[in-house]
Amino acid sequence: MNGLLRRAGGALGVPSALFAGIVVVALLATTGPASLERLAVGGLVNIVLVIGLYVFVGNSGVWSFGHMSFALVGGYVAGLLALPVRLKGQLLPDAPALVRELHAGPFVAVVVGGLVAAVVAVVVAVPLSRIGGLSAGLATVSLLIAFSAVAAQWQSVTRGQKGLSSIPTSTTMPVALGWVLVALLLAWAYQRSSFGIRLRASKSDEVAAAASGISVPVQRGVGFVLSAFLTGIGGALFALQLGSINPDVFYLDYTFLIITMLVLGGAGSLTGAVAGSVAVSALAEVLRRAEGGSLLGLPVPARPGLADVVLGVVLVVMLLRRPSGLTGGRELRLPRRRGERHRPPAVTRDASEPIALAGAVAGAGPETRREDSR
Amino acid sequence: MTTLVQALVNALNLGGLYALYALGVAMVFGILRLVNFAHSSLIMAGGYTLVFTASLPLVVRLALTVAVCVALAMVLELVAFRGVRSAAPETMLVTSFAVSMLLSSLAESLFGALPRSTDVDPVFRESWTFGQIYLPKINAVTVVVVVVLIGGLGLFLTRTPAGLRMRAAAEDFATARLLGVAANRVISLAFAISGVLAAAAAVLLLGANGSVTPTFGFNAVLFGLIAAVVGGLSSLRGAVAGGFVLGAASQLLQEALPVGLAPFRDALLFAAVFCLLVVRPQGLIRSGQGVRV
Amino acid sequence: MAEPLLPVPLLPVPLLSVRGLTVRYGSVTALHGIDLDVDAGELVALVGPNGAGKSSTLAAVSGLVRPAAGTVTVAGEVVSGLAPERVVRHGVALVPEGRNIFTALTVAENLALGATIRRDAAGVAADLDRQLDRFPILRDRYGQQAGLLSGGEQQQLAIARALMSRPRLLLLDEPSLGLAPRLVDLVFETVAQLRREGLTIVLVEQNATRAVELADRTSVLRTGRIVRSGTADELGGGAAMAAEYLGEAGVTP
């Protein structure tokens, strides 16, 4: 019994440690001005979104550029549910009765936002999970453009480009922290489950995985739906933090930000997803101050957009020099307590390592070549 | 009858533009298996070049635009894409995405987010009217430019030794290198050609829109990419055909969709592309062996 | 730029010299530091079972694969670590396994690509004529798309294309693979003819019996190492050789 408890503790070591780190950073932010706290909440929402993307990309090795579709769905659904019925009557007189009359509290709104995103993902996943690689990347971009176009044109429900506003805000620091914890635990439990392990097997060798009886489409589909659920939650939290949502927020810029976070931290591990989000949020905040004209008290020439330039440079350099990210695709190593005998913490090496190797070879000289001759 | 002719004229114009964007994307993809989102950055750079050279004679402006687009294309290849050449296509896709975002933020930082307007040539604002058919002169210019560029590219690829080497590299890069085809030179050349195509796109787009923003060219490349995908990314003929098919389909949807659905034209188009990709991923995009460097 | 040398004069060093060549694919080591010398005008056969490292040797010599260790010199000049497009300029031509002709291009275009590294238009034209005489079928199919050729015709095209670069060293990877017996004869006759013309050749073959009998010397590869080398007589004749290495017992490192 004791051993079992200890094993459970060991199994949850990584998400607990990550959560503890996030809490410390978030609490530090609350000691600052209110604007900093708002930013910290935004950063937490981004962590949920990055974990959402990681659940699919990190475990399957297939890139999705369309996950913001699910944030869009989650955000609109939660926003519509949270809006008071009386207000909806004024804002959306032409909406279907169901949309106008349903109302839910913030928690239910967020959960339903995630669930609707997951249901949409089931429909998408059926065809999508059969393909991988470049085709999947392009298909997901097309998906995002299509979703965004719908959000921008469906006047009666989304109010088109004007978007929804006056949504009662509810995403506070404790709420956001709570959802980060949920996302961490779900992502961790999934990647340690037999589903996650099978999906990871298909990432390192799709053919071998299929040959040993793993249905790669099914496993990808499961990962995709869970990933979309978390992304939908993230989108819902976003809408309920700002009190508004419009079609442009979850488009290519936000996609870029979330991908930057994941690549920078290392798409192969949950630790990487979290480290990348925190690092980019911190960097973005420093750069934002630089844009505002001062950095650590020093005057800096104000340049709007500079933050994005620096982020872009960081991402490109990272892709060229260290495509497996800060963490190299490994999970956090927890110090082992003395006298305790359990398995060493899982060091999950992932398939991005050969890429890193190839990148290093490519970086070493002007000439590169294929490793296999035919 | 007149509506049909008018629709045909519009479809031809739109198709020509899409073909132009698609060719720029397919040119690089055929050689490097790189989906180059940063093609939009080339178009944007061409647009700003036209804005900042507004006081110069048209010929000089055009020459400078081509020079800037070609130079930027080759620099991007050298700085950003050479390092990830041996990586997976998805990694290259992320890189090109990052590069395009980086350059549009850079443009915003340097030139501001507001549109900068300029006039390419007064002709671009004029139009002919034949009975009830309305033909803007820019449409004629577009079609002529596209036809000349496609024809010129075709001649270059089929009639010159450098063109032959490019076609060989596109089919089987490893074998081409065994015969002495220099990888770096072929890839640079492919990027340079995509630069010329981007410059033409910049001139025509700016002629039609009149102003440039940091995201100028992004939608163009999205449509070009889709057109190239429709035609089978690695084939240049396919890219041209895909461009015209997409142009015609767009125009057709515009005319045929019921009023309530018309605003959803783009959503339908991209949903169709999604379906196309999931139904025939291999048929459309052959990640053939021995092609990438 | 390497001057084409045909016929090859005697060189003080072997035309091809391989020392400690090691090739790795990820964590798999395909070649464990092999040594190999080929003198000018020699025909050397490399035989061995699948996965022995024969193709890896040719890939590393031609620059397709960057060796993990070891050196390759051609006429005294180090070519290991160079890109394939540089190696070919040292006079090395590889006819890869599976031919790898450009199926979308015409026979004429394939042959023209073979002469990519050459600048002497007159010499190229003369060589083109010679190769079309050597393989008359290619003259008949000159304007056709290469993808329409039969397997045997494609093999002839691949060899002709390699010869268009006027190599000093021709590397042939499984030229008889998948061909009908009559065409296998044609391929071996062609190799013998090229040998008589003074071309230096390294021939990788599954068809060990004929390769060993044709070659001046043979090296037997097994799991990435050269286990035996010698003339056909020293190795006990081609048929004996084949039986020996194809059977499980026999050769010990």
Side-chain angles (χ1 to χ4, degrees):
Chain A
M1 187 63 200
N2 231 345
L4 198 70
L5 273 177
R6 205 181 299 136
R7 262 179 58 194
L12 292 178
V14 171
S16 320
L18 291 174
F19 187 63
I22 293 168
V23 168
V24 168
V25 175
L27 289 182
L28 276 178
T30 56
T31 61
S35 67
L36 189 63
E37 187 172 337
R38 260 203 311 282
L39 273 163
V41 175
L44 292 173
V45 172
N46 285 343
I47 293 180
V48 174
L49 288 168
V50 175
I51 293 175
L53 182 63
Y54 158 77
V55 165
F56 180 67
V57 173
N59 291 315
S60 73
V62 178
W63 275 100
S64 165
F65 300 97
H67 259 58
M68 286 304 117
S69 318
F70 304 117
L72 209 56
V73 171
Y76 272 101
V77 168
L80 287 169
L81 281 175
L83 271 174
V85 174
R86 195 176 45 81
L87 202 56
K88 271 193 281 195
Q90 294 167 11
L91 286 174
L92 306 161
D94 303 328
L98 189 73
V99 174
R100 270 185 290 130
E101 283 155 23
L102 266 186
H103 174 76
F107 176 76
V108 175
V110 169
V111 172
V112 173
L115 286 176
V116 173
V119 170
V120 172
V122 171
V123 177
V124 172
V126 170
L128 184 69
S129 56
R130 308 205 156 267
I131 60 174
L134 202 49
S135 315
L138 291 176
T140 49
V141 176
S142 311
L143 195 70
L144 176 59
I145 299 170
F147 270 75
S148 179
V150 170
Q153 301 296 340
W154 199 3
Q155 297 288 347
S156 61
V157 173
T158 64
R159 296 185 77 224
Q161 287 292 352
K162 290 194 290 286
L164 302 178
S165 52
S166 318
I167 304 168
T169 57
S170 56
T171 307
T172 56
M173 179 71 84
V175 170
L177 274 175
W179 279 111
V180 166
L181 183 62
V182 169
L184 278 170
L185 291 176
L186 271 178
W188 186 253
Y190 172 71
Q191 85 184 46
R192 304 270 296 216
S193 73
S194 64
F195 288 105
I197 289 166
R198 275 181 254 169
L199 186 55
R200 285 193 164 236
S202 80
K203 168 166 95 168
S204 29
D205 191 337
E206 195 175 332
V207 177
S212 55
I214 294 173
S215 164
V216 178
V218 168
Q219 296 305 331
R220 272 192 196 147
V222 171
F224 192 77
V225 171
L226 178 61
S227 159
F229 172 72
L230 289 175
T231 304
I233 297 277
L237 291 171
F238 180 94
L240 299 191
Q241 188 206 353
L242 284 191
S244 66
I245 184 167
N246 67 64
D248 294 334
V249 290
F250 289 124
Y251 200 46
L252 294 168
D253 287 357
Y254 217 125
T255 303
F256 173 67
L257 180 70
I258 297 298
I259 286 179
T260 307
M261 290 175 168
L262 189 56
V263 169
L264 200 78
S269 68
L270 185 59
T271 307
V274 171
S277 330
V278 174
V280 172
S281 296
L283 184 64
E285 170 57 13
V286 171
L287 292 170
R288 199 188 55 86
R289 289 178 184 212
E291 273 183 9
S294 81
L295 180 61
L296 304 171
L298 298 171
V300 171
R303 274 276 173 221
L306 187 71
D308 290 335
V309 176
V310 176
L311 277 183
V313 170
V314 168
L315 178 60
V316 171
V317 169
M318 202 71 186
L319 282 164
L320 290 174
R321 294 284 157 212
R322 203 178 152 82
S324 57
L326 290 172
T327 58
R330 288 180 193 81
E331 295 296 357
L332 200 63
R333 278 165 191 273
L334 299 173
R336 222 190 307 181
R337 258 167 282 161
R338 210 150 46 92
E340 203 176 344
R341 279 183 62 231
H342 62 72
R343 281 191 310 129
V347 175
T348 345
R349 296 177 145 253
D350 76 314
S352 60
E353 292 231 329
I355 296 173
L357 194 74
V361 171
E367 306 293 347
T368 61
R369 69 209 53 180
R370 290 161 48 79
E371 290 258 297
D372 49 330
S373 54
R374 63 191 53 89
Chain B
M1 182 63 201
T2 46
T3 22
L4 183 68
V5 173
Q6 183 70 59
L8 265 177
V9 166
N10 294 348
L12 198 63
N13 175 54
L14 203 56
L17 279 174
Y18 289 166
L20 190 60
Y21 312 145
L23 261 184
V25 174
M27 194 74 223
V28 169
F29 185 85
I31 299 288
L32 203 55
R33 292 297 176 266
L34 162 72
V35 176
N36 191 13
F37 272 115
H39 193 64
S40 61
S41 309
L42 305 179
I43 298 178
M44 173 201 71
Y48 278 108
T49 308
L50 287 166
V51 167
F52 290 116
T53 55
S55 55
L56 301 174
L58 184 63
V59 182
V60 179
R61 292 172 77 192
L62 295 180
L64 278 173
T65 305
V66 172
V68 166
C69 288
V70 169
L72 181 62
M74 292 172 79
V75 166
L76 286 184
E77 189 272 318
L78 194 67
V79 175
F81 298 124
R82 196 161 283 196
V84 288
R85 238 188 238 173
S86 52
E90 307 92 273
T91 308
M92 297 207 287
L93 185 60
V94 177
T95 308
S96 80
F97 193 57
V99 167
S100 72
M101 287 293 174
L102 163 59
L103 289 178
S104 79
S105 335
L106 190 65
E108 186 182 337
S109 178
L110 292 175
F111 314 129
L114 295 176
R116 297 287 198 100
S117 53
T118 186
D119 216 359
V120 177
D121 196 274
V123 171
F124 281 21
R125 277 182 279 115
E126 297 162 12
S127 59
W128 293 296
T129 323
F130 304 100
Q132 290 178 326
I133 297 163
Y134 171 75
L135 176 62
K137 288 186 180 174
I138 187 168
N139 286 16
V141 174
T142 301
V143 171
V144 169
V145 167
V146 169
V147 167
V148 166
L149 280 175
I150 292 174
L153 188 57
L155 283 179
F156 167 76
L157 287 172
T158 52
R159 298 289 151 83
T160 66
L164 177 60
R165 288 197 289 272
M166 292 205 75
R167 282 188 296 148
E171 186 178 337
D172 184 343
F173 215 135
T175 302
R177 295 183 78 184
L178 275 176
L179 299 175
V181 174
N184 288 343
R185 232 184 283 172
V186 167
I187 293 171
S188 284
L189 187 58
F191 271 90
I193 293 172
S194 83
V196 174
L197 297 169
V203 173
L204 295 174
L205 257 182
L206 191 60
N209 291 356
S211 64
V212 187
T213 62
T215 55
F216 186 73
F218 208 91
N219 276 329
V221 167
L222 283 181
F223 275 91
L225 184 60
I226 296 318
V229 167
V230 169
L233 256 179
S234 43
S235 141
L236 297 182
R237 261 187 225 121
V240 173
F244 282 103
V245 167
L246 191 69
S250 246
Q251 194 61 42
L252 200 72
L253 280 179
Q254 186 92 316
E255 308 275 334
L257 279 181
V259 180
L261 279 178
F264 295 103
R265 188 193 68 173
D266 287 358
L268 285 171
L269 270 182
F270 281 93
V273 169
F274 172 83
C275 295
L276 206 60
L277 275 165
V278 295
V279 172
R280 288 192 51 203
Q282 288 86 10
L284 291 168
I285 302 165
R286 286 182 304 125
S287 27
Q289 49 184 8
V291 192
R292 251 178 350 105
V293 186
Chain C
M1 180 66 60
E3 281 300 308
L5 301 170
L6 201 77
V8 182
L10 284 178
L11 291 164
V13 289
L15 182 64
L16 172 67
S17 178
V18 171
R19 287 288 170 275
L21 188 64
T22 302
V23 170
R24 287 199 192 96
Y25 303 107
S27 57
V28 181
T29 304
L31 273 186
H32 297 270
I34 66 157
D35 297 335
L36 182 70
D37 282 325
V38 180
D39 285 324
E42 249 191 328
L43 168 54
V44 170
L46 292 181
V47 297
N50 266 333
K54 308 183 300 281
S55 294
S56 295
T57 308
L58 297 193
V61 169
S62 63
L64 271 180
V65 171
R66 192 188 291 250
T71 55
V72 177
T73 56
V74 173
E77 290 182 67
V78 177
V79 301
S80 42
L82 294 185
E85 61 256 36
R86 302 292 300 278
V87 176
V88 67
R89 289 177 164 78
H90 285 269
V92 179
L94 170 67
V95 180
E97 183 185 342
R99 276 85 81 170
N100 288 13
I101 59 156
F102 300 106
T103 52
L105 308 184
T106 63
V107 170
E109 288 172 332
N110 269 279
L111 290 170
L113 281 163
T116 299
I117 61 168
R118 296 178 60 181
R119 292 287 168 269
D120 55 326
V124 170
D127 273 356
L128 181 60
D129 233 29
R130 279 175 48 195
Q131 300 316 329
L132 292 177
D133 286 343
R134 190 194 302 277
F135 302 109
I137 188 74
L138 296 183
R139 200 185 283 284
D140 301 341
R141 310 262 180 182
Y142 195 61
Q144 283 187 18
Q145 201 183 321
L148 301 174
L149 302 186
S150 70
E153 290 161 358
Q154 292 194 358
Q155 185 64 65
Q156 296 176 47
L157 174 58
I159 296 175
R161 186 179 65 183
L163 291 172
M164 286 302 293
S165 70
R166 272 211 176 195
R168 320 187 247 190
L169 174 63
L170 182 67
L171 311 173
L172 291 166
D173 197 352
E174 306 273 10
S176 73
L177 194 72
L179 296 185
R182 190 177 52 80
L183 292 167
V184 173
D185 290 344
L186 177 68
V187 165
F188 277 101
E189 276 160 29
T190 306
V191 174
Q193 174 61 31
L194 291 170
R195 159 82 183 79
R196 281 197 293 280
E197 289 170 20
L199 189 61
T200 313
I201 300 170
V202 176
L203 173 65
V204 161
E205 259 301 331
Q206 289 272 350
N207 194 339
T209 316
R210 298 191 63 168
V212 171
E213 278 164 3
L214 189 64
D216 297 309
R217 286 188 297 121
T218 299
S219 288
V220 182
L221 275 151
R222 194 167 250 236
T223 59
R225 294 186 173 83
I226 291 183
V227 289
R228 294 186 68 180
S229 294
T231 63
D233 286 344
E234 286 164 10
L235 296 171
M241 250 317 297
E244 189 177 10
Y245 89 78
L246 287 173
E248 279 308 308
V251 186
T252 43

